Amino acid sequence: MAGIDLPVLPEMANLWQQTLNWQPNTQQQRQFQQLYEQVLEGNRRLNLTRIKDTLEFWEKHLWDSIRAVAPLRQTSLPQQVIDIGTGGGFPGVPIAIARPNWTVCLLDSTQKKIIFLKTLVAALGIDNASTLCDRAEQLGQHRHHREHYDIALIRAVGSASICAEYTLPLVKIGGLAVLYRGQWTASDTQALDSIVEKLGGKVELVTRFTTPVSQSVRHCLYLRKVTPTLAAYPRSTGVPAQQPL
């Protein structure tokens, strides 16, 4: 924001290292700070986030975003990633910063948010992220995107069954859909199993973790794509949300 000195994000190097066995280098820390400033500036025109406090931003937008892909650190090869319903750029932008050898597509159906993100990515010098304005239901039926991605990320978009229908058609066989969740139970997993199987996947892993500052409980679901998704999925725009599987 012009003429206003914004607070500086905490570096939290020890917490990064202790919890994720990783910490940002100087350039990545600078990009995180720029991301924080750009998002606060964007909030003046768009509803990007309610989080303005530096520590809360670090935990809920930076750490939480990257925590979901921490189990995939052994994946040294470049990955094609799509962030569905990215909104203000989370989790896709922090992951693009943290994993410079990954290519991240930031997908959202709101044109104003995509315009903002295109400007943000350029301002931060992130050359491994691109933007796309479209609906997941339509993109999942597009021949250039269907079963194209190694990893599909989805956070705060809808129920787990809706998220599975949005993500799995876009993931190639052998790839992963990563669903960010708050509370989750074993019975939730049982209910999701048959839905994921119908979409060509299996629930490979559910991780439960506690955030390092507020000690909030979070879960991540990792859905492995094992067979091609039937052509009927994803269903037409709006149908997954109105009639979940």
Side-chain angles (χ1 to χ4, degrees):
M1 298 178 189
I4 300 176
D5 291 329
L6 289 172
V8 177
L9 287 174
E11 293 191 8
M12 309 297 272
N14 289 338
L15 266 185
W16 279 122
Q17 193 64 45
Q18 291 166 11
T19 57
L20 303 187
N21 194 31
W22 174 86
Q23 56 182 284
N25 58 31
T26 301
Q27 178 185 350
Q28 290 165 330
Q29 185 64 35
R30 176 181 56 79
Q31 289 174 313
F32 285 157
Q33 177 67 30
Q34 289 177 304
L35 172 60
Y36 171 65
E37 294 174 2
Q38 292 274 342
V39 168
L40 290 195
E41 170 67 21
N43 258 351
R44 299 171 64 183
R45 308 179 307 278
L46 302 164
N47 181 26
L48 299 173
T49 181
R50 61 172 181 77
I51 297 169
K52 298 181 181 179
D53 175 76
T54 54
L55 195 56
E56 192 177 9
F57 188 95
W58 177 85
E59 180 180 63
K60 294 184 177 178
H61 280 334
L62 301 182
W63 185 90
D64 188 66
S65 291
I66 297 169
R67 168 62 180 78
V69 299
L72 312 179
R73 274 190 65 83
Q74 66 271 24
T75 305
S76 58
L77 296 174
Q79 301 289 295
Q80 292 280 346
V81 182
I82 185 166
D83 176 15
I84 298 170
T86 186
F90 305 105
V93 173
I95 288 172
I97 292 171
R99 301 283 186 270
N101 66 325
W102 291 10
T103 302
V104 181
C105 176
L106 305 168
L107 174 70
D108 203 274
S109 61
T110 303
Q111 182 69 35
K112 288 182 179 179
K113 290 181 179 178
I114 289 300
I115 292 171
F116 164 78
L117 288 173
K118 189 173 294 187
T119 302
L120 180 146
V121 165
L124 271 60
I126 302 173
D127 58 9
N128 60 321
S130 60
T131 58
L132 183 60
C133 186
D134 209 333
R135 297 276 310 196
E137 301 98 321
Q138 295 176 359
L139 206 67
Q141 294 291 355
H142 194 290
R143 64 188 181 91
H144 292 309
H145 293 274
R146 185 176 179 86
E147 300 192 333
H148 171 74
Y149 296 93
D150 299 294
I151 302 170
L153 309 166
I154 192 163
R155 169 178 156 174
V157 169
S159 69
S161 64
I162 295 170
C163 290
E165 187 169 356
Y166 286 165
T167 53
L168 283 169
L170 289 164
V171 176
K172 63 178 63 172
I173 294 175
L176 278 176
V178 181
L179 280 56
Y180 291 65
R181 311 305 298 172
Q183 296 299 321
W184 192 257
T185 65
S187 61
D188 291 329
T189 301
Q190 290 176 349
L192 187 63
D193 275 335
S194 61
I195 295 169
V196 171
E197 184 177 357
K198 185 182 296 187
L199 295 165
K202 67 175 183 178
V203 181
E204 181 168 274
L205 178 67
V206 177
T207 61
R208 179 188 187 277
F209 56 91
T210 304
T211 60
V213 177
S214 64
Q215 302 297 299
S216 302
V217 173
R218 298 279 190 274
H219 293 80
C220 271
L221 281 59
Y222 299 87
L223 315 181
R224 181 73 66 182
K225 181 73 165 281
V226 293
T227 61
T229 301
L230 294 174
Y233 303 108
R235 292 168 291 167
S236 300
T237 298
V239 176
Q242 294 164 4
Q243 302 173 26
L245 293 172

